[in-house]
Amino acid sequence: MPTPSRAQAHSSSRSIRPAAAVRPAAAIRPAAAIRARAGALPVRELDRLGVSRSARAAAVAAGSIIAVRPGWFAVHDAPTAVLDAVRVGGALTAASVARLHGLWLLGDPQLHVRVAAGASRLRSPADRAVPLAAAHEVCVHYRQRRGGPGDLPARDGLPRALAEMFTREGVVPTMTALDSALNSGELGSTGRAEVRALVPGRFRRFVDAADAGCDSGLETIARLLLVSRRVRHITQAWIPGVGRVDLLIGDRLVVELDGAGFHIDPPEFEEDRRRGLELAMQGYLLVRLTYRMVVDEWERTQGMVLELIARGEHRWGSRAAPHGR
């Protein structure tokens, strides 16, 4: 997300200005302090911020904050997933944090909660009076908090959340989220370095290989196949007369990936077919893959893509001269 610019205060005179008055602790609005920090905070953090007990009691009485569990307060409009994680007894992490950032995910419905190593007496995300059970669909991450970039008491920062995804959810689901974070600007070069520092060594090469050019998780899945086979490719390649295509494999194999529920309106349908004809006129081979072909039928689909590559269909040759190039 874009970082807000900071106003730089300056003065052309050497006059000494009076120090700003210290804001009384009671004047700090509990709801504003909590909302600015993921929507839920423990009492110890409110104490550190200078929010007094009387101010908390007044805010509860006024209905601007609620007690979400013993020793924790939240605002009414806090993300539901954050409140659920606090009720469980930990902080929101992994794919659940990625979802808050609007990243591309491979349909993980679980609530991911990071708790201290050895934590016990975990509770239902819906009711603190009910012990946590398998039916609650909560994935518990037992990790000792070290304090990473962007970490808050109720929610891990995006770098730590992605690192947790690598260790618990695997490479492909995490890479779809990581590529998405880079593509959307939710994560920059500094954030990528932070993820790299947090993951075990075996995952660092994948962090290094993340591609901000991928527009969707479908592109990431296809790209990872090509990377594993060391096949030359370009994501979001520009072809004159056509525009950008999702993947250009080798010289001429163009792969376009259609998302779930893909539908195009008549004008877009016409443009899509025009692009396909232009690619054919220039000697390119166009392959269109649907969401189901990539996510649900990937073993079969990738076999056919690899067969095209094995046959040399991705290279200019006697059957496909580079017309118009």
Side-chain angles (χ1 to χ4, degrees):
M1 297 178 69
T3 303
S5 60
R6 296 180 178 176
Q8 297 181 339
H10 62 88
S11 173
S12 59
S13 69
R14 295 179 178 270
S15 60
I16 300 176
R17 296 181 178 179
V22 177
R23 192 177 186 185
I28 297 176
R29 298 176 61 189
I34 294 171
R35 185 173 289 108
R37 293 162 179 82
L41 282 178
V43 168
R44 66 178 183 279
E45 185 68 12
L46 290 168
D47 288 340
R48 189 188 68 80
L49 293 170
V51 178
S52 67
R53 179 180 298 181
S54 60
R56 296 196 298 266
V60 170
S64 61
I65 65 173
I66 56 173
V68 69
R69 74 178 243 209
W72 278 78
F73 293 92
V75 290
H76 290 277
D77 56 351
T80 300
V82 169
L83 297 181
D84 290 347
V86 170
R87 291 191 193 98
V88 168
L92 197 69
T93 193
S96 297
V97 169
R99 187 171 289 108
L100 289 184
H101 285 266
L103 304 186
W104 212 100
L105 295 172
L106 280 174
D108 182 353
Q110 295 185 100
L111 178 73
H112 290 264
V113 182
R114 186 185 50 72
V115 302
S120 61
R121 298 174 64 88
L122 302 180
R123 299 295 172 177
S124 160
D127 188 346
R128 282 288 299 170
V130 177
L132 184 66
H136 295 134
E137 294 190 332
V138 175
C139 179
V140 179
H141 299 239
Y142 290 93
R143 297 283 188 277
Q144 197 63 42
R145 175 180 284 278
R146 296 185 182 89
D151 286 356
L152 294 166
R155 191 200 73 189
D156 283 347
L158 186 56
R160 182 177 294 280
L162 290 168
E164 285 294 316
M165 286 187 70
F166 270 115
T167 57
R168 292 298 296 269
E169 299 178 59
V171 171
V172 173
T174 307
M175 288 298 288
T176 65
L178 179 54
D179 280 357
S180 176
L182 294 170
N183 179 268
S184 65
E186 291 291 299
L187 198 73
S189 57
T190 300
R192 184 206 290 247
E194 290 164 350
V195 175
R196 193 179 192 279
L198 288 166
V199 298
R202 67 185 183 277
F203 295 119
R204 286 175 185 161
R205 65 188 178 94
F206 294 106
V207 178
D208 295 339
D211 187 348
C214 282
D215 270 349
S216 76
L218 303 183
E219 289 180 38
T220 297
I221 294 169
R223 183 179 69 81
L224 289 175
L225 171 65
L226 301 173
V227 169
S228 70
R229 301 303 177 101
R230 298 183 179 180
V231 177
R232 180 168 57 87
H233 64 282
I234 301 173
T235 58
Q236 293 298 307
W238 176 268
I239 297 177
V242 177
R244 294 199 180 278
V245 297
D246 291 336
L247 277 172
L248 174 61
I249 302 174
D251 304 317
R252 63 180 292 265
L253 179 54
V254 172
V255 178
E256 292 277 61
L257 299 126
D258 301 331
F262 181 75
H263 172 76
I264 49 180
D265 296 324
E268 294 173 337
F269 181 88
E270 293 291 334
E271 175 61 15
D272 184 64
R273 295 307 181 268
R274 183 202 68 77
R275 282 163 49 94
L277 180 59
E278 181 62 34
L279 285 167
M281 291 296 294
Q282 294 189 38
Y284 289 94
L285 173 61
L286 171 63
V287 173
R288 302 199 73 97
L289 302 180
T290 65
Y291 179 94
R292 177 174 293 181
M293 292 169 71
V294 176
V295 175
D296 300 328
E297 303 168 1
W298 185 230
E299 288 300 317
R300 180 171 180 269
T301 302
Q302 71 173 345
M304 290 189 284
V305 172
L306 292 174
E307 175 62 23
L308 288 174
I309 294 170
R311 282 162 33 184
E313 300 285 357
H314 63 310
R315 298 194 182 99
W316 296 123
S318 58
R319 288 175 296 173
H323 301 296
R325 293 174 62 83

